[in-house]
Amino acid sequence: MRERTLSSAMRNAGVDAVPHGFRTSLQTYLAEHGYSREVAERALGHVELNQAVAAYARTDLEQRREAMEELGAGLPWPMPISC
């Protein structure tokens, strides 16, 4: 997901804030709930740039991503924003 996409979504939802730090916050939140960096990167839509590593990455981590989505479903949306 690009930052502009998130900015647009936040603006359309009436959120008076910017998404700066969103990716870091999400990675930290997922790490604190036992999710690997690889799962967090997939959640953010990142693609492995190292061709050797990517060649052996044969899983889409579907079960871990589904569990992660369930974790997110339990959060209050929209999330409260603190400064």
Side-chain angles (χ1 to χ4, degrees):
M1 177 184 297
R2 296 186 183 278
E3 187 172 333
R4 284 184 174 172
T5 303
L6 189 54
S7 291
S8 239
M10 292 172 70
R11 188 172 42 256
N12 291 340
V15 176
D16 186 26
V18 294
H20 180 74
F22 174 78
R23 291 174 185 259
T24 301
S25 297
L26 179 62
Q27 286 179 327
T28 300
Y29 180 80
L30 292 175
E32 289 177 350
H33 286 83
Y35 290 90
S36 68
R37 182 179 180 276
E38 183 180 20
V39 173
E41 291 293 315
R42 292 281 179 93
L44 292 167
H46 293 174
V47 176
E48 179 59 58
L49 298 178
N50 181 317
Q51 291 180 350
V53 172
Y56 292 97
R58 307 268 184 198
T59 180
D60 64 1
L61 302 167
E62 184 177 2
Q63 290 180 332
R64 292 295 290 162
R65 289 186 300 117
E66 286 174 355
M68 179 184 56
E69 290 168 7
E70 289 175 16
L71 174 68
L75 294 173
W77 295 105
M79 291 293 293
I81 298 173
S82 59
C83 296

